[in-house]
Amino acid sequence: MLSRKGIIPEEYVLTRLAEDPAEPRYRARQRRARFVSKKGNCNVAHKNIREQGRFLQDVFTTLVDLKWPHTLLIFTMSFLCSWLLFAMAWWLIAFAHGDLAPSEGTAEPCVTSIHSFSSAFLFSIEVQVTIGFGGRMVTEECPLAILILIVQNIVGLMINAIMLGCIFMKTAQAHRRAETLIFSKHAVIALRHGRLCFMLRVGDLRKSMIISATIHMQVVRKTTSPEGEVVPLHQVDIPMENGVGGNSIFLVAPLIIYHVIDANSPLYDLAPSELHHHQDLEIIVILEGVVETTGITTQARTSYLADEILWGQRFVPIVAEEDGRYSVDYSKFGNTIKVPTPLCTARQLDEDRSLLEALTLASARGPLRKRSVPMAKAKPKFSISPDSLS
């Protein structure tokens, strides 16, 4: 009616009628951004870096950090530029000495068989890559040509050395070895020795060992100091228990690394109801060691958000003894089973140990399984004797 009278535009009326008044006008809270991805990459973007020249002070590391296409392009351009530069130098020497248009009775040329820039470019390639076809060579007529020959050889060796070093470092980088160091997809919290423990499983797929392997764990969350300072990524180290002592591990077979949630743990007040994707909690696990075959230090990382922590579950055993040796079934690496666990924080469990005793009694009084007794075969109501057949 209002649109017909021209008071309200018709487009506005149709737009308002198309809206659902029952639909909420707010968006659901997004999942917390990871600080470290599951594959170990740091989710940090560096912006507004003004001092870009600092990267050129360490050219070798910059070349190693570049992607393969960029690295190969830089080395290709380095070779082409050096060949062209020294080709120009050889052409100028031949031009100044009069070797490009020789006449009868002229002196011996500085470089034989150079008549144009193309021949000078071919000679530059032959000198730098030491091909030596034999058609062109430097004579003792020009000392400057001998000096250019020495300089070009030195420059070519330097480019080759830098190229080979970068290719070796890029192919033997530490994160390549970390691809075979695996972590369980989920972490679990369950009872162990009467205490709530945060547990995860780590393994190595290769037979070559990681020497001096150590493991560290940190809790990253947003905190606010008593003075009002907001720390967006507050990192707190928490100790790990691995059965060997300290942070060192002997990673021959998959191990379950656990952290006892006690009064000194940042997870002391963590409740099962808080394990959802809205919770501001991330646990970072870092495994570091020396590769046995190459001697290079490698590091593998992963992280667990709150919704990736399973409460009241435990990892299934995957190591078994077969034919006089231990075998590992990696198909069950991340499998878990449910176990009786109190649905309370570690603080509440320490303050009221009766929760643990009640849980023990409940698990002991679990429902008994009825044993199925096989039914006896029913006897036939009549039988046929041989005499009746006769």
Side-chain angles (χ1 to χ4, degrees):
M1 180 66 67
L2 294 177
S3 61
R4 292 179 181 179
K5 294 182 179 180
I7 300 177
I8 300 177
E10 185 177 359
E11 295 82 2
Y12 181 80
V13 175
L14 292 176
T15 304
R16 294 298 299 171
L17 291 176
E19 294 181 359
D20 187 4
E23 184 179 357
R25 298 185 181 180
Y26 59 88
R27 295 181 179 179
R29 182 179 176 184
Q30 296 181 357
R31 184 174 182 176
R32 181 189 185 277
R34 286 185 177 274
F35 184 52
V36 177
S37 66
K38 296 296 288 185
K39 294 184 178 180
N41 300 321
C42 296
N43 188 22
V44 178
H46 300 278
K47 298 181 179 180
N48 301 325
I49 301 178
R50 299 180 179 180
E51 299 180 1
Q52 298 287 345
R54 291 181 177 270
F55 295 98
L56 298 178
Q57 297 178 3
D58 189 6
V59 180
F60 186 78
T61 305
T62 304
L63 291 175
V64 174
D65 291 339
L66 290 176
K67 296 181 179 180
W68 274 107
H70 299 161
T71 304
L72 295 178
L73 178 62
I74 289 175
F75 283 123
T76 302
M77 295 303 299
S78 299
F79 279 113
L80 289 176
C81 292
S82 63
W83 292 341
L84 290 172
L85 177 63
F86 284 101
M88 181 63 68
W90 292 119
W91 184 83
L92 290 175
I93 290 175
F95 177 78
H97 195 260
D99 298 337
L100 298 180
S103 58
E104 296 182 0
T106 56
E108 185 178 7
C110 296
V111 181
T112 60
S113 302
I114 289 185
H115 308 291
S116 63
F117 183 79
S118 299
S119 57
F121 181 74
L122 292 176
F123 180 70
S124 175
I125 297 175
E126 294 175 12
V127 170
Q128 189 161 331
V129 300
T130 64
I131 295 177
F133 291 118
R136 302 175 182 87
M137 63 179 181
V138 180
T139 62
E140 57 184 10
E141 181 69 19
C142 302
L144 181 60
I146 299 175
L147 179 62
I148 295 297
L149 177 66
I150 296 173
V151 172
Q152 186 172 5
N153 284 326
I154 295 175
V155 171
L157 290 175
M158 291 179 62
I159 295 177
N160 289 333
I162 295 174
M163 181 188 68
L164 293 176
C166 285
I167 292 177
F168 173 77
M169 292 302 297
K170 287 182 72 67
T171 53
Q173 282 183 339
H175 65 83
R176 303 293 181 184
R177 179 62 177 87
E179 294 293 333
T180 53
L181 297 174
I182 58 176
F183 300 88
S184 57
K185 183 179 180 180
H186 294 89
V188 298
I189 294 180
L191 288 174
R192 175 174 281 194
H193 305 297
R195 306 296 298 272
L196 285 176
C197 297
F198 173 86
M199 293 177 282
L200 61 100
R201 177 174 276 166
V202 60
D204 187 5
L205 299 179
R206 290 187 180 272
K207 292 184 179 180
S208 58
M209 294 178 53
I210 299 295
I211 304 173
S212 302
T214 57
I215 193 164
H216 305 275
M217 190 170 70
Q218 291 182 342
V219 174
V220 179
R221 57 174 40 167
K222 182 179 180 180
T223 58
T224 304
S225 65
E227 294 78 14
E229 180 185 3
V230 178
V231 183
L233 296 173
H234 182 60
Q235 304 178 17
V236 180
D237 291 333
I238 56 178
M240 301 290 292
E241 299 291 338
N242 50 52
V244 181
N247 293 328
S248 301
I249 59 175
F250 186 52
L251 194 59
V252 179
L255 298 176
I256 296 178
I257 311 299
Y258 69 96
H259 158 68
V260 179
I261 305 177
D262 53 11
N264 298 323
S265 173
L267 307 178
Y268 196 51
D269 295 319
L270 183 65
S273 58
E274 299 177 356
L275 298 180
H276 49 78
H277 65 277
H278 297 329
Q279 180 67 20
D280 186 14
L281 174 66
E282 183 176 1
I283 299 177
I284 300 174
V285 183
I286 303 173
L287 173 62
E288 188 174 1
V290 179
V291 182
E292 183 181 20
T293 53
T294 60
I296 300 176
T297 302
T298 185
Q299 187 181 91
R301 300 178 294 267
T302 190
S303 68
Y304 299 97
L305 296 181
D307 59 340
E308 296 173 347
I309 303 174
L310 306 179
W311 192 282
Q313 299 204 27
R314 183 174 58 196
F315 291 105
V316 299
I318 61 174
V319 180
E321 186 176 358
E322 296 179 359
D323 300 331
R325 62 178 183 178
Y326 294 96
S327 63
V328 181
D329 185 6
Y330 281 99
S331 64
K332 303 178 182 178
F333 184 80
N335 293 0
T336 60
I337 56 175
K338 291 185 178 180
V339 292
T341 306
L343 300 177
C344 63
T345 64
R347 180 188 297 273
Q348 295 172 351
L349 185 61
D350 290 343
E351 294 175 353
D352 189 3
R353 299 301 293 181
S354 61
L355 297 174
L356 182 60
E357 297 176 358
L359 182 67
T360 305
L361 292 176
S363 59
R365 295 177 181 177
L368 297 176
R369 295 182 179 179
K370 295 183 179 181
R371 186 176 180 182
S372 59
V373 180
M375 297 179 63
K377 294 183 178 180
K379 294 183 179 181
K381 296 181 180 180
F382 60 90
S383 59
I384 302 176
S385 62
D387 296 338
S388 62
L389 295 175
S390 57

